[in-house]
Amino acid sequence: MRADRLVATLLFLQTRTRVTVAEVAAELEVSPRTARRDLEALATAGIPVYSQRGRGGGWSLVGGARTDLTGLTAEETRALFLLAGPSSTTPELRTALRKLVRALPAPLRAGAEAASQAGLNDGTNWSRADATATGPHLDALRRAVVDGIQVRLGYAGPGKPAGVRTVHPLGLVAKAGHDYLVAETERGLRTFRLSRVTSVEVTGEPVVRPPGFDLPTVWRSFAARLEERLYAATVRARAEPGAMAILERLFDGRLRIGPVLPDGWTEIRVDGPTPEVIATQLAGLGARVEVLDPPEARERLARLAVELAGVYGPPASF
């Protein structure tokens, strides 16, 4: 997992005055591109890692090599443990993190432990493909989660004007190319997509955590409910051979490919929230895909055809 590599990369840096990307790649048995990306991730997260170009250059820790983590500041320690938090599910890494916590000076331990539980990277999107992204208020909310401080959150839900509410930030999750905040509200636990957050104002009041709160467990519950809605309906159709590559890119894990039919077309099944939504997504392929059932999907396509013909009329060469 990436969190394993980030911790291993930092510990490797602490044993050397300066390392090259090639040396990190060889030590961790990864590609040079992956090694460079991990080094850049450490630097971006606030770990005191910097690069020097030219002959004799490489990557170093500010202040030179160290044999343990006690030279890190509170902010640097939190950044490290946030990167390697509950998304680090291997027993070996969890054991290593516990040892690192014990090696820290007492004033830094509480912040490190809080940061290790503050973030989660759900590495698949809703169509089962890898995707990551960041939001404009990510840093402010990350600090609020780690520090355990309530915030006044400006938020605009889908099709709704922005409003402000006070929430108890409990964790951050990267999923499906978006970042989400998990927070306790007056209506219970809720998730907020960071791309819809309009403002973050720290209140100074401490967060009240629900008894027994565990971020991975809560997120799995949220994700399972949403996936149930995303996969609630199925449309059966037939597609010409040239459309299969487009369908695979468009629907990814929601596309199920069936047998090749006698005429050379392929039977497919596409999952989605409703038959009407799936039909609308298929409409762009025109006659290259024929929806077979359910009737609601066929009716939706017929209505779309009438609407579009009314707006644009028949093509000039029709």
Side-chain angles (χ1 to χ4, degrees):
M1 294 179 62
R2 190 183 187 214
D4 300 63
R5 297 198 315 269
L6 291 170
V7 174
T9 299
L10 179 59
L11 295 177
F12 183 57
L13 281 165
Q14 291 175 330
T15 65
R16 304 291 186 91
T17 303
R18 181 174 292 120
V19 299
T20 65
V21 168
E23 289 172 338
V24 174
E27 175 70 17
L28 302 184
E29 298 181 349
V30 297
S31 69
R33 181 178 180 182
T34 297
R36 182 180 299 279
R37 188 165 58 242
D38 288 346
L39 288 162
E40 291 171 348
L42 288 171
T44 301
I47 307 300
V49 177
Y50 72 98
S51 63
Q52 181 177 344
R53 298 181 180 276
R55 185 178 180 83
W59 290 79
S60 306
L61 281 168
V62 174
R66 291 193 284 268
T67 57
D68 56 40
L69 294 179
T70 56
L72 298 178
T73 68
E75 288 299 319
E76 293 161 358
T77 302
R78 290 180 182 183
L80 171 63
F81 278 81
L82 187 64
L83 279 171
S87 58
S88 310
T89 56
T90 62
E92 295 81 6
L93 184 57
R94 288 198 297 269
T95 299
L97 289 175
R98 286 195 294 270
K99 292 179 180 178
L100 292 177
V101 168
R102 289 196 294 269
L104 291 170
L108 301 187
R109 290 175 192 163
E113 290 175 342
S116 71
Q117 300 300 320
L120 176 65
N121 189 343
D122 188 340
T124 59
N125 69 20
W126 302 115
S127 296
R128 312 292 196 265
D130 290 339
T132 58
T134 58
H137 299 285
L138 179 60
D139 288 341
L141 287 171
R142 179 185 290 137
R143 287 193 297 270
V145 170
V146 173
D147 294 339
I149 302 298
Q150 297 179 39
V151 300
R152 280 185 285 272
L153 191 74
Y155 191 77
K160 300 178 181 179
V164 178
R165 69 198 78 185
T166 299
V167 304
H168 300 245
L170 300 172
L172 292 161
V173 179
K175 171 78 169 181
H178 297 281
D179 289 301
Y180 295 86
L181 170 70
V182 178
E184 177 76 350
T185 73
E186 60 182 10
R187 296 183 178 180
L189 286 169
R190 294 289 187 272
T191 60
F192 301 91
R193 184 186 291 188
L194 263 64
S195 61
R196 296 174 181 154
V197 172
T198 58
S199 63
V200 175
E201 181 184 353
V202 177
T203 67
E205 296 295 321
V207 161
V208 178
R209 297 175 68 85
F213 175 83
D214 178 69
L215 179 60
T217 301
V218 169
W219 178 253
R220 282 195 296 270
S221 176
F222 278 127
R225 291 200 297 269
L226 182 53
E227 287 195 354
E228 285 180 3
R229 295 196 294 270
L230 288 177
Y231 290 79
T234 300
V235 164
R236 186 171 67 92
R238 56 195 297 270
E240 68 173 29
M244 294 306 299
I246 299 173
L247 287 165
E248 289 174 351
R249 289 196 300 271
L250 182 61
F251 295 104
D252 196 50
R254 294 190 290 129
L255 174 69
R256 287 175 284 159
I257 301 174
V260 176
L261 302 173
D263 60 1
W265 286 40
T266 301
E267 183 175 314
I268 63 170
R269 282 176 167 79
V270 181
D271 298 321
T274 67
E276 293 81 2
V277 168
I278 302 171
T280 301
Q281 293 174 319
L282 289 170
L285 282 85
R288 302 172 72 182
V289 173
E290 179 188 359
V291 170
L292 302 175
D293 58 63
E296 302 96 305
R298 292 178 60 89
E299 181 179 351
R300 175 58 178 161
L301 287 170
R303 289 182 178 275
L304 281 174
V306 172
E307 291 174 6
L308 292 172
V311 173
Y312 301 104
S317 59
F318 187 75

